[in-house]
Amino acid sequence: MKRKRSASHLRLLFVLAVVIPCLALGVIAIRSINREKAFIEMRLQRTIDAELVHMVSLLNADLERINEELVSSLTGKEFSSPQTALAGWKARSGLVGVPFLLSPDLKIVWPSLSGMLSEDERAFLNWNREFITGRAPIPVYQNIALVYKDEITKTQESLDKKMQVVPEAATLAEESPVFSPERARLPVPQEEKTGIRAPKNRVEEVQVEQKAISDFERSPDLRKSVYDQAREKGQQTAQRTVTPGASLSPEKKAPLEESIFISEPQSFSEITQGRENGLIPRFIQNELTLLFWKKDPSGGFIGCVIDGETLRGRLAGLLPNIYTPVRILTILDENGRPLITPDENDRLDWRRPLAAREISEKLPRWEVAAYLSSPDAVASRANLTALILWILVLFLLVAMATGGTYILSTLRSEMLLARQKTTFVANVSHELKTPLTSIRMFAEMLKERRQPDPEKQEKYLDLMVSETERLTRLINNVLDFARMERGERKYEKKRLEVALLCEGLIEGQRVRLEHNGFKVTFQNDLGEAFIEGDEEALKQAILNLLSNAEKYGGEARRIDVDVTGTADSVLINVKDRGIGVSPGEVKKIFQEFYRADDSPTARVRGSGLGLPIALRIIRDHGGDIHYFPRDEGGSVFQIRLPRKKREGQS
Ligand code: ADP
């Protein structure tokens, strides 16, 4: 019972300590194998995203610089002598496309309607007259996270409180694209315009903005609610021109994301109010134009349409190496067209970049975008990693299966051995008791002289000798087994006559066997034949077979022994008419401790050592033991021993 319990404990331990962790490890490994490609792409996406963040900073800084350059390239004489001063301005700065002058009451002073108008000037007047003269407002773009920063901060704070999570603004700030110093320096139109909350401390203010942008980027729910608020207030939201990350799941049709820049219509005077100069983005026939303006001390305005080609060239020139073996980097314009492309990459789907970032409210719908240079390289790298992982997992599973099977089979054979040993002790004690009881009974009868018949007295003595022999054989079996295990058994070999040896042995057992109702026959078909062997050991082996014929001989109670031979061997056959041995068990019965019926209720008791010891002795004499089913039922155990040639025979 105790053994059974400890075995099941061991099994449980094996399952808990080996099977479950291995399975869990296997599942984790298989899952990560399947995600390997996505992992590699995601890692790449992160690295590339950091590069895009840097690009956005560069572009924003350059837009600031463009504004400053245009301001400083003015001479102040533009109103007094427009024709020459504006021509000179245009000649000095390639950025100046179509220059214009406005009077303080927003009347167009230049391009002069009275003069000859160039095609560009005519187009400028056509598309901008209504707007600059204050008759038609245009959409003005702002970063939604900055416009709604107070709401975002409040919502996030209450969420953080609810979840009791310490906000991680500082760490996120490092990763977030819009946290560049350039970005922070950008004017915040809403605040400057309305003056709701003039920043007391700019550093503090920047921190609040950064946190708002970070929270906005992090939380899809927050984003959704802020966009909803904006729409409720009548502000225009727009969709981005690209779907970043779409290349990671090409099978999925990812919906276009909403742009971070929302717009509200404002007139020229509203835009310029309270400011000295600036850039105004305008969409004309779906093409982006940038207007530069500056207030003149006279109260009027000097400005220009920035030359599109120069602007594009200048911004594209800011891109570092656009093509590396890993990624392709470019700027996409308002229509999702790349400003610059590496030669042979026309086949790229520009709307599905690996990563992309919107640039600025001054360049709405423009993005910096990155694409994988060779998506196949990522796939093959992922496949290689997956292959290695598969091999490792398979190795792990094979190791687990072999280890597990080995442990279980060792466990099982240990348990079997333990059980066999227990039954062995019980069986041996029982077997020893039977002859002892007989010996004691006959000895007592003789001592008390209860049997006056001298013939019977003689028979009792014979029985006692036979039982003693049986007892000795049993004890020898046990002792020999231990000796054989240690390889210490020694034989004292001498020349023996086989038939004589067998007959003597049988005659010694005959009284007892016949007393127990057995019919015993002995037949010598061999004549005189010799072997070389240890008499006691060989007797023990034959006695073991006789004892088995007695135990498993069944109701027939018949034992036939014969000796035959060939030129080289002698054969000793011990036959019974008992239950026989089933074919599946023939090999097993020669194993130590093996018993066909080993249950405690087995009718016949035994140690499971008789046959293995007999086999060992016979093999040590250069022979063998075989089992044959006997014709008409029963068993034949045949001992084969090498024949010793007569002296002088070769
Ligand atoms: P034991 O007899 O002590 O159990 P043995 O090693 O002598 O051990 O025999 C092993 C098994 O072989 C026995 O338990 C029995 O099942 C089978 N066996 C041996 N001899 C015979 C036989 N003459 N007839 C049928 N079965 C036998």
Side-chain angles (χ1 to χ4, degrees):
M1 195 65 190
K2 204 175 160 192
R3 252 176 232 288
K4 260 190 195 164
R5 216 182 312 135
S6 66
S8 64
H9 279 172
L10 266 175
R11 264 195 209 123
L12 187 70
L13 192 74
F14 177 72
V15 169
L16 289 177
V18 182
V19 180
I20 292 179
C22 282
L23 283 179
L25 213 67
V27 170
I28 292 169
I30 289 169
R31 280 172 67 110
S32 64
I33 289 170
N34 293 338
R35 289 182 188 167
E36 189 54 24
K37 187 164 174 260
F39 273 144
I40 293 179
E41 285 185 329
M42 207 126 80
R43 273 206 307 269
L44 262 176
Q45 198 183 24
R46 292 226 173 116
T47 324
I48 289 172
D49 208 40
E51 205 179 354
L52 295 186
V53 169
H54 179 62
M55 271 316 303
V56 168
S57 313
L58 285 183
L59 290 167
N60 272 300
D62 202 51
L63 286 170
E64 290 281 297
R65 219 172 295 125
I66 287 174
N67 194 56
E68 281 160 21
E69 277 174 27
L70 284 169
V71 170
S72 59
S73 62
L74 289 167
T75 54
K77 293 188 186 136
E78 284 76 12
F79 271 93
S80 48
S81 51
Q83 196 156 10
T84 47
L86 290 178
W89 189 35
K90 190 168 158 63
R92 271 196 312 283
S93 170
L95 286 165
V96 180
V98 181
F100 63 87
L101 295 175
L102 302 180
S103 64
D105 56 349
L106 301 182
K107 293 258 159 53
I108 298 172
V109 179
W110 193 272
S112 163
L113 291 168
S114 53
M116 279 278 287
L117 289 177
S118 70
E119 210 174 297
D120 286 347
E121 286 171 331
R122 202 167 299 122
F124 164 78
L125 290 175
N126 234 351
W127 294 113
N128 294 298
R129 190 188 289 124
E130 299 273 291
F131 162 57
I132 12 194
T133 53
R135 283 196 292 268
I138 58 154
V140 170
Y141 296 88
Q142 292 173 82
N143 188 327
I144 190 168
L146 296 181
V147 175
Y148 288 93
K149 67 173 189 301
D150 296 337
E151 285 85 343
I152 293 171
T153 311
K154 251 186 258 157
T155 319
Q156 193 57 42
E157 268 169 13
S158 68
L159 272 178
D160 286 344
K161 244 183 238 159
K162 244 190 234 163
M163 296 173 72
Q164 299 205 316
V165 170
V166 184
E168 296 160 33
T171 17
L172 279 159
E174 282 163 27
E175 291 169 8
S176 181
V178 255
F179 293 120
S180 61
E182 285 82 355
R183 180 103 201 109
R185 262 190 262 121
L186 286 179
V188 187
Q190 171 94 348
E191 285 179 8
E192 286 179 15
K193 197 157 42 78
T194 58
I196 290 172
R197 191 156 72 108
K200 277 187 216 148
N201 172 345
R202 186 63 189 142
V203 174
E204 225 171 71
E205 190 62 28
V206 167
Q207 262 176 4
V208 173
E209 287 172 10
Q210 286 180 346
K211 184 166 171 359
I213 292 169
S214 145
D215 292 342
F216 183 78
E217 285 206 346
R218 240 183 341 154
S219 158
D221 291 343
L222 189 67
R223 267 206 305 274
K224 191 180 171 305
S225 90
V226 172
Y227 278 116
D228 287 346
Q229 273 186 53
R231 274 188 286 266
E232 258 171 45
K233 284 195 184 162
Q235 287 155 332
Q236 287 291 313
T237 57
Q239 281 181 335
R240 291 176 69 174
T241 45
V242 295
T243 313
S247 68
L248 297 183
S249 48
E251 65 286 349
K252 270 190 236 155
K253 278 231 171 331
L256 285 174
E257 278 178 29
E258 280 189 289
S259 165
I260 195 165
F261 301 118
I262 51 165
S263 62
E264 248 180 320
Q266 279 182 20
S267 67
F268 185 76
S269 53
E270 281 173 319
I271 297 170
T272 53
Q273 194 184 0
R275 299 167 71 189
E276 286 306 309
N277 53 56
L279 296 172
I280 304 171
R282 281 211 63 191
F283 284 103
I284 293 167
Q285 288 191 311
N286 257 340
E287 301 279 333
L288 182 78
T289 38
L290 262 186
L291 293 183
F292 163 75
W293 64 270
K294 181 186 175 297
K295 251 181 210 156
D296 187 71
S298 65
F301 291 88
I302 311 162
C304 69
V305 176
I306 292 181
D307 182 75
E309 283 305 305
T310 315
L311 179 74
R312 282 166 175 255
R314 179 168 172 155
L315 295 181
L318 286 176
L319 288 173
N321 193 0
I322 61 161
Y323 183 87
T324 72
V326 179
R327 56 99 187 107
I328 294 165
L329 194 67
T330 193
I331 298 174
L332 300 176
D333 70 8
E334 64 276 13
N335 293 310
R337 282 183 313 239
L339 259 57
I340 180 167
T341 62
D343 299 340
E344 69 289 346
N345 268 290
D346 298 340
R347 67 197 162 79
L348 262 183
D349 181 356
W350 297 107
R351 290 187 182 265
R352 295 170 81 86
L354 178 70
R357 289 261 163 206
E358 291 181 272
I359 300 171
S360 158
E361 62 270 21
K362 287 182 200 123
L363 288 176
R365 285 165 62 185
W366 280 40
E367 307 240 359
V368 280
Y371 307 80
L372 286 175
S373 300
S374 51
D376 300 345
V378 172
S380 64
R381 212 172 104 195
N383 287 344
L384 182 73
T385 324
L387 184 76
I388 294 171
L389 279 172
W390 267 119
I391 292 172
L392 282 178
V393 168
L394 280 182
F395 183 75
L396 189 88
L397 288 178
V398 169
M400 189 185 96
T402 353
T405 324
Y406 178 72
I407 293 175
L408 273 185
S409 72
T410 318
L411 191 77
R412 203 179 308 127
S413 53
E414 284 294 317
M415 279 165 57
L416 189 72
L417 201 66
R419 211 180 60 219
Q420 281 173 336
K421 280 182 180 164
T422 329
T423 30
F424 167 77
V425 173
N427 285 347
V428 166
S429 328
H430 187 270
E431 274 206 283
L432 291 178
K433 227 167 134 189
T434 320
L436 265 180
T437 318
S438 308
I439 294 169
R440 189 177 170 174
M441 185 183 80
F442 293 126
E444 276 174 1
M445 272 163 75
L446 290 174
K447 190 184 165 203
E448 288 160 16
R449 301 187 204 289
R450 272 192 266 151
Q451 184 53 266
D453 185 354
E455 223 174 89
K456 286 240 165 98
Q457 284 177 1
E458 191 69 18
K459 189 182 161 193
Y460 288 171
L461 284 171
D462 281 347
L463 279 169
M464 281 167 71
V465 172
S466 171
E467 290 288 11
T468 318
E469 233 171 27
R470 200 150 75 101
L471 201 59
T472 317
R473 182 190 63 87
L474 283 170
I475 293 168
N476 277 350
N477 269 354
V478 178
L479 293 179
D480 284 351
F481 173 69
R483 247 182 259 149
M484 282 173 181
E485 282 283 283
R486 295 196 297 268
E488 284 173 2
R489 172 123 204 203
K490 300 262 176 328
Y491 297 104
E492 280 176 26
K493 291 187 181 171
K494 58 181 185 196
R495 214 164 87 100
L496 298 167
E497 209 280 303
V498 184
L500 220 60
L501 176 86
C502 294
E503 203 170 2
L505 195 73
I506 289 161
E507 291 318 313
Q509 293 295 312
R510 185 182 292 282
V511 193
R512 189 180 62 80
L513 287 169
E514 284 178 357
H515 178 76
N516 289 342
F518 278 85
K519 186 168 181 335
V520 188
T521 66
F522 174 71
Q523 194 179 325
N524 178 6
D525 297 332
L526 186 64
E528 196 181 54
F530 294 91
I531 50 169
E532 172 112 339
D534 181 315
E535 189 174 355
E536 282 315 306
L538 288 175
K539 270 187 178 172
Q540 189 186 350
I542 301 166
L543 263 176
N544 281 359
L545 297 189
L546 272 180
S547 161
N548 279 353
E550 182 188 349
K551 286 196 290 184
Y552 308 106
E555 291 309 311
R557 291 185 177 252
R558 205 190 150 93
I559 301 173
D560 303 304
V561 181
D562 63 64
V563 286
T564 62
T566 63
D568 300 324
S569 320
V570 295
L571 302 170
I572 306 165
N573 296 310
V574 181
K575 307 171 185 170
D576 63 52
R577 286 270 173 225
I579 45 174
V581 179
S582 64
E585 299 212 298
V586 175
K587 267 197 180 156
K588 294 187 193 161
I589 55 173
F590 289 98
Q591 290 168 6
E592 285 148 7
F593 299 115
Y594 184 84
R595 305 203 66 235
D597 183 0
D598 201 13
S599 62
T601 52
R603 212 164 41 84
V604 183
R605 293 298 190 115
S607 58
L609 288 179
L611 284 179
I613 285 179
L615 183 67
R616 179 79 71 91
I617 293 172
I618 299 300
R619 284 196 174 155
D620 287 348
H621 283 78
D624 214 341
I625 304 182
H626 290 284
Y627 166 83
F628 303 103
R630 192 178 181 186
D631 291 342
E632 293 166 35
S635 312
V636 179
F637 281 87
Q638 184 179 74
I639 298 176
R640 188 187 55 74
L641 283 166
R643 194 170 185 154
K644 184 159 167 57
K645 304 275 153 62
R646 274 172 209 276
E647 253 97 295
Q649 264 188 332
S650 58

